[in-house]
Amino acid sequence: MREASALQLGLGWFPETHGGAENMFYHLARYLPQQGIAFSGLVLGTVSETLDNGARIASFAPPTASLPRRLTAARSAIAEALRRQAPDLVAAHFALTIVGALPTLRNRPMVVHFHGPWALESAAEGAGPLAVRLKFMVERLVYHRATRFVVLSQSFATILAERYGVPPERIHRVPGGVDADRYDLADSRHQARARLGWPQGRPVVLTVRRLVKRMGLTALVDSMVELCRQVPDVLLMVAGRGPEAEALQNRIGALGLEDHVRLLGFVPDAHLPLAYRAADLCVMPSQALEGFGLTALEALAAGTPVMVTPVGGLPEVVEGLDGDLVLAGTDAQSLGIGLAEALTGARRMPSADACRALVRDRFDWPVIAARTATVYRGALQ
């Protein structure tokens, strides 16, 4: 296995900031060196750390820095890293981080980890047309320069090809990963609930989401009217924070669902395996632009079935499980009926062992790191 080196340019460092892109960056730092890919990373944050495997992580600017300062600092830090380390390739996880430094790459191969369409996601969350247009231009500049792309799902591969004009032969699908051992707890559901202080004896549905419009949480809250009719003692737990928190709480009150829906706020990453284990069922009610759905994978790793809307890459996460886990639609009625069928036994659900086995076979981080290393070596050739 030929040793190669990669300069990784990320959005943030997972222990400091939480998100799917940050999670992937963090775990690639932990697992890529085992695949013969030396790892050196630059991120927005305060980190300065060398891992046991030799991976080096440094920040190019603090998270409080203004946008102009971030861009200037990123450009300078990347140029210095290229001069000092002379990596074989550059791997970019966020277009804005690399765009100012593109001229310094010269002929060096660049792999883009496409975590999502920045411009399209901004539009879906209410950004103005000028901001969306500028973000799209930044993305196009970076993607035009890339040698290879890593996408999380076929859905994102299609967006890259159709919306950004990327040749399909440059696009390689490598799904998100999960540390299977971390989520495979010995606790029973009863024990997990006792540790969390959750009620025993009630069917519990959990969703772990950023509280923004495209995540489908309003439809999920609305679906509880139908779900409570069929499963009167059901309890929905919503873990996460975001700008829609107040509107969701108001909606819960307006529908009289205070005894059936709880907004938990931010749940620390260390507590998430226990929360997944404590739930009878998890749900991903996304409405648009869900490229993969890492929290769905985490739920499965804990042995808890997860129901998903037919959006983006979500069906790909549960593909291969012996169960009817894809909901009929994204609307409240489809969510309510599907969840009720799952909780009452009318819809087939996979066993806990089957959920865990799927994750270990297809999504455990050593598997994902090996597939990523193969894409990198292809870019070097």
Side-chain angles (χ1 to χ4, degrees):
M1 184 179 296
R2 188 176 85 82
E3 180 74 19
S5 60
L7 174 62
Q8 302 270 347
L9 308 174
L11 182 58
W13 184 236
F14 187 65
E16 294 184 348
T17 56
H18 294 265
E22 293 89 341
N23 184 293
M24 175 164 279
F25 188 96
Y26 171 77
H27 283 95
L28 287 176
R30 292 181 59 201
Y31 288 98
L32 269 180
Q34 299 173 12
Q35 302 297 326
I37 305 294
F39 190 106
S40 178
L42 292 171
V43 297
L44 183 70
T46 61
V47 63
S48 179
E49 185 176 352
T50 299
L51 306 186
D52 292 342
N53 61 16
R56 300 186 305 276
I57 316 298
S59 63
F60 60 81
T64 55
S66 64
L67 179 58
R69 184 184 171 195
R70 290 184 188 187
L71 294 174
T72 301
R75 183 173 63 247
S76 299
I78 292 168
E80 174 60 20
L82 292 174
R83 182 192 64 78
R84 185 178 67 253
Q85 301 168 19
D88 294 311
L89 63 84
V90 170
H93 293 257
F94 185 50
L96 191 62
T97 303
I98 184 67
V99 66
L102 288 177
T104 66
L105 298 184
R106 297 184 175 88
N107 294 322
R108 185 174 279 105
M110 181 174 73
V111 174
V112 165
H113 286 263
F114 184 73
H115 297 284
W118 185 34
L120 297 179
E121 290 175 353
S122 296
E125 293 174 15
L130 178 58
V132 171
R133 194 176 308 118
L134 288 172
K135 291 174 182 179
F136 187 73
M137 290 173 59
V138 168
E139 290 180 291
R140 287 292 298 268
L141 280 171
V142 172
Y143 301 162
H144 179 73
R145 172 61 179 77
T147 311
R148 295 282 191 280
F149 294 81
V150 175
V151 297
L152 298 167
S153 63
Q154 184 56 48
S155 170
F156 271 7
T158 300
I159 288 176
L160 260 183
E162 294 182 355
R163 301 300 294 268
Y164 294 93
V166 174
E169 63 270 17
R170 296 187 186 180
I171 303 171
H172 300 266
R173 184 163 70 97
V174 180
V178 68
D179 186 347
D181 286 339
R182 181 171 177 267
Y183 291 89
D184 190 0
L185 302 180
D187 300 74
S188 67
R189 181 167 293 119
H190 181 89
Q191 291 168 329
R193 290 191 186 184
R195 290 175 61 184
L196 291 169
W198 289 12
Q200 304 285 354
R202 295 183 68 178
V204 173
V205 178
L206 172 68
T207 189
V208 181
R209 305 268 67 196
R210 194 161 70 92
L211 308 188
V212 296
K213 291 180 179 179
R214 67 183 177 88
M215 297 301 179
L217 295 167
T218 299
L220 181 59
V221 169
D222 289 352
S223 78
M224 290 298 291
V225 175
E226 172 64 21
L227 184 54
C228 288
R229 188 181 67 81
Q230 298 194 47
V231 188
D233 57 345
V234 69
L235 177 61
L236 171 65
M237 299 289 206
V238 181
R241 59 189 173 192
E244 291 296 300
E246 183 177 356
L248 288 170
Q249 191 63 64
N250 291 339
R251 187 68 177 165
I252 292 166
L255 294 173
L257 293 170
E258 294 92 336
D259 293 335
H260 295 278
V261 183
R262 296 183 188 176
L263 300 186
L264 302 177
F266 174 71
V267 174
D269 189 62
H271 297 169
L272 283 177
L274 204 61
Y276 290 124
R277 188 71 190 93
D280 293 281
L281 182 66
C282 290
V283 61
M284 294 280 285
S286 302
Q287 304 289 294
L289 298 174
E290 188 70 71
F292 183 68
L294 180 61
T295 58
L297 195 57
E298 292 171 346
L300 295 175
T304 301
V306 56
M307 301 201 72
V308 301
T309 50
V311 170
L314 287 176
E316 297 176 42
V317 178
V318 299
E319 190 177 37
L321 280 171
D322 183 22
D324 189 6
L325 295 170
V326 182
L327 293 155
T330 61
D331 58 286
Q333 183 179 18
S334 296
L335 292 170
I337 292 173
L339 292 172
E341 290 174 346
L343 292 175
T344 60
R347 182 181 286 239
R348 190 174 74 258
M349 291 288 108
S351 68
D353 287 344
C355 293
R356 295 188 188 102
L358 176 81
V359 170
R360 289 192 179 277
D361 182 56
R362 291 173 51 188
F363 301 110
D364 203 9
W365 264 111
V367 176
I368 299 306
R371 292 181 60 177
T372 304
T374 298
V375 177
Y376 287 7
R377 290 192 172 88
L380 290 173
Q381 294 171 2

